[in-house]
Amino acid sequence: MITTRRSILASFAAAASGAPLAFAQSDAPAIIPKNPNYKRIACEEAWTTREIADEYGRFIASNPADEPGFMALGARYYARGADSPILASMLDLGEGRIAAMNRFGIDMQLLLLTAPGVQVFSADTGTALAANSNDQLVEAISKHPTRFAGLAAVAPQDPRRAALEIERSVGTLGLKGVVINSHTKGEFLDDEKFWELLEAAEANNAPIYIHPRNPAPAMLEPYLSRRLEAGILGFTADVALHTIALITSGAFDRFPKLKLVIGHGGEGIPYMLYRIDYMQRVVREGRGLKKLKKRPSDYFKDNIYITSSGMAWEPAIRFAHQTLGVDRVIYAMDYPYQADASEVVALDNMAISDADKKQFFQSNAEKLFSL
Ligand code: MN
């Protein structure tokens, strides 16, 4: 039996065809059938382990002063003993998740250890829990190899051991890249102390997916005091800073084959590329920005991929197609945080060619993540 649900998504789709951006509503079926023309491979899908969830609980109970962003967000999901439905969904790497994928018409999920990963813990605890999570992920994938693939978690707190874990989990165990949940204790990957990790990612052909978390402590307060710290703005602010800082640090001159992935339509950066190029050129001499081999937008087009997680919005996707290229934009749902059948329908119905749609939903992910 097909039931329907209301959504505002159709209004955004309508905007792409020239209609005004109004909050019109559409219907989406409760069960989305498979699409005969392409697989839907969702590439920013969250999971975690029981061990990490329990460690979050202990961490929150210790009331750590150096993780105000996690304390503002994590307590909602990981307060000791209080499992949320979202957490239950993330812990499920078996039949429950597959049933949800079947309802949403998702052929495959690329699994990422949910934010903030192990990056809030001590180096020893984080390194051990990352390796344990990668082992559990590999086991789940081996049981459902056509439905699941995954990225490795690492603890950047110890860059040397993080690099070794990339070699082990990607090079040996076959995970498809690395997830970094943005800043680690307020520090970003543009700091050269982390570049051993970047070097290992490049050497193992492992794309690094920079996933959001609440902003770094030094930039958190103005967001938190307005309750704008999370998906509405803070996540984007943190990952946009992280990404542009990596570009302007010269990391892609040092590691020219390094691949980065960012979600949420590219965290606003595609729309800003003209201005970023202009300002990087104008201010770099006087204000200490490095001289780079290429324009910032060139690195964005050559080294960076974006996904549609949380941004099932045709105008943004078509803009990215136009500015970055059809081969750079990849489907993601953001299960279980933003799991909405009407978004799948809206993206299926985008007014782009069948070939471009297959690249978006399937082929780009297969190529980038060697699926
Ligand atoms: Mn996400």
Side-chain angles (χ1 to χ4, degrees), residues 4-16:
T4 58
R5 55 193 304 288
R6 313 291 286 177
S7 167
I8 63 167
L9 268 297
S11 67
F12 297 127

Side-chain angles (χ1 to χ4, degrees), residues 44 211 264 334 337:
E44 189 202 292
H211 185 279
H264 314 100
D334 212 0
Y337 295 106

Side-chain angles (χ1 to χ4, degrees), residues 5 34 37 49 104 183 208 219 243-244 257 303 338:
R5 55 193 304 288
K34 286 166 87 77
N37 299 320
T49 68
F104 289 118
H183 69 88
I208 295 178
M219 59 190 278
T243 303
I244 294 169
K257 292 188 172 136
N303 297 87
Q338 189 168 337

Side-chain angles (χ1 to χ4, degrees), residues 138-160:
V138 167
E139 192 186 339
I141 293 166
S142 74
K143 288 179 183 157
H144 303 282
T146 63
R147 306 306 300 274
F148 297 151
L151 303 186
V154 298
Q157 301 92 307
D158 186 332
R160 164 65 52 88

Side-chain angles (χ1 to χ4, degrees), residues 44-46 112 114 209 211-212 264 309 334-335 337:
E44 189 202 292
E45 314 311 304
L112 283 64
T114 198
Y209 201 125
H211 185 279
H264 314 100
S309 60
D334 212 0
Y335 178 88
Y337 295 106

Side-chain angles (χ1 to χ4, degrees), residues 147-176:
R147 306 306 300 274
F148 297 151
L151 303 186
V154 298
Q157 301 92 307
D158 186 332
R160 164 65 52 88
R161 284 189 287 174
L164 291 172
E165 182 60 19
I166 292 172
E167 276 184 42
R168 185 187 82 94
S169 56
V170 178
T172 307
L173 299 180
L175 294 176
K176 303 304 184 183

